[in-house]
Amino acid sequence: MWVRVLGSAAGGGFPQWNCGCPGCRAVRDGRRPTTARTQSSIAVSADRKRWVVINASPDVRQQFAAFPGMHPGDGRVTPLEAVLLTDAEIDHTLGLMLLREGRGVDLHCTAASHDVLRDGTGLLTALEKYCPVRWSEVVPGTPFSLGDCEFRAFDVPTAKHDRFGTGGDSGRVVGYRITDPDSGRSAVYLPGVQELTPSVRDELDGIDALFVDGTTWVDDEMIQLGLAQKTARDMGHLAVGGPGGSLELLSPLPIGRKVYVHVNNTNPMLLDDSPERGQVVDAGMEVAEDGLEVEV
Ligand SMILES: [Zn+2]
Ligand SMILES: [Zn+2]
């Protein structure tokens, strides 16, 4: 199977419209080597004919345009099989509205995310006025098949503020373990993880590729830059660098490809010549760019 990174940046993209941090400035003025990135999403396919998209970012139109595999054939038949969600964050769901011209959206997400989309952001309520939405409930631990791949969600504990107060912790944030039944090979998509708990860590056993949360380099990155008062943990993310960071915890794992995605524009590892990028590469991990494709 194939995993294509449609967008590799966290919410806001790279550069973010209102941000003048060193990374965002570097994209605009070209003084440091780096590459612009769109907001977080991947596409998965076993046959390169039908693609399942995980998270529908606000940049989905640009992402599909840049990917010939997602272009429509005759008429308006498209290779988009379904949309899966890891949570109901705006940067992972706003793109649903941009899919409204289609023949309907096949949406797979947990009941918790569904509640937020209906009663919190209201995105689903609005989308249903434009096109049919066929919702399938994702239950963590219960596998399902789509486009010849098997998907299984797993709960990712989070302490992130429940903005809409829609309730329970189960299914608020999930990761996906994706398996190609023909080859037996598998990948995990985990764009938001606050702590590598034993249960989350167990999901990484025996996989061939990992696409994992690279939001910030240090926990108080936004505070240090004077941009926000929230730590990465407050936002449900484990920092990459330093003791106890994801680089230290994940780099020893025997996984063929270990790729950081969902990278915030403030993270210095986005700069190609930064010491932080050097540390990632030296540790055998990668920082995704948009369009990166991995054959798993
Ligand atoms: Zn996000
Ligand atoms: Zn920035």
Side-chain angles (χ1 to χ4, degrees):
M1 71 179 168
W2 285 267
V3 176
R4 182 182 175 99
V5 177
L6 297 176
S8 51
F14 186 52
Q16 179 173 317
W17 72 280
N18 64 337
C19 191
C21 79
C24 288
R25 282 207 311 273
V27 184
R28 295 189 189 104
D29 66 21
R31 285 192 205 170
R32 299 270 302 271
T34 188
T35 306
R37 289 165 167 83
T38 62
Q39 295 168 82
S40 184
S41 173
I42 63 166
V44 181
S45 178
D47 60 7
R48 300 193 67 82
K49 294 192 176 81
R50 291 175 297 161
W51 291 85
V52 171
V53 166
I54 308 185
N55 291 340
S57 103
D59 302 314
V60 67
R61 182 184 171 279
Q62 179 185 345
Q63 292 167 346
F64 284 10
F67 176 32
M70 198 58 87
H71 294 175
D74 292 338
R76 288 184 169 172
V77 179
T78 86
L80 177 62
E81 174 87 10
V83 178
L84 275 58
L85 302 177
T86 59
D87 53 48
E89 291 294 316
I90 287 284
D91 60 318
H92 304 164
T93 59
L94 199 56
L96 289 170
M97 289 303 287
L98 306 180
L99 302 176
R100 70 189 181 284
E101 297 97 346
R103 295 178 180 184
V105 177
D106 289 286
L107 179 68
H108 297 253
C109 67
T110 63
S113 287
H114 190 259
D115 285 350
V116 174
L117 290 174
R118 186 172 294 287
D119 303 324
T121 63
L123 266 174
L124 199 54
T125 314
L127 181 62
E128 284 171 341
K129 304 284 186 202
Y130 291 87
C131 71
V133 180
R134 296 171 287 270
W135 175 52
S136 303
E137 182 179 354
V138 169
V139 178
T142 304
F144 55 98
S145 289
L146 277 174
D148 296 337
C149 290
E150 184 189 276
F151 295 80
R152 183 169 52 74
F154 55 92
D155 257 313
V156 182
T158 183
K160 188 166 52 174
H161 170 57
D162 184 1
R163 196 183 293 268
F164 298 105
T166 44
D169 277 342
S170 176
R172 269 183 75 197
V173 180
V174 299
Y176 286 97
R177 184 160 169 149
I178 312 150
T179 304
D180 180 341
D182 286 339
S183 67
R185 291 169 71 84
S186 55
V188 160
Y189 185 53
L190 190 55
V193 61
Q194 181 180 316
E195 192 186 340
L196 288 164
T197 61
S199 66
V200 171
R201 171 65 189 72
D202 285 350
E203 298 292 345
L204 311 183
D205 277 348
I207 61 170
D208 302 286
L210 171 64
F211 299 85
V212 67
D213 187 343
T215 306
T216 70
W217 184 262
V218 290
D219 191 47
D220 62 351
E221 188 165 297
M222 308 283 274
I223 298 170
Q224 280 187 31
L225 288 163
L227 302 176
Q229 287 310 307
K230 284 182 176 174
T231 65
R233 267 175 206 278
D234 291 337
M235 296 182 286
H237 301 289
L238 172 65
V240 173
S246 63
L247 188 63
E248 180 185 281
L249 299 173
L250 296 171
S251 57
L253 302 184
I255 301 169
R257 298 284 294 271
K258 288 170 288 205
V259 181
Y260 279 115
V261 292
H262 200 277
V263 186
N264 198 56
N265 56 79
T266 51
N267 190 327
M269 73 183 183
L270 286 176
L271 296 163
D272 301 349
D273 62 355
S274 66
E276 291 84 358
R277 171 67 67 82
Q279 279 188 50
V280 171
V281 173
D282 290 347
M285 291 184 65
E286 304 168 52
V287 179
E289 288 187 12
D290 293 7
L292 171 72
E293 228 171 68
V294 175
E295 185 175 356
V296 180

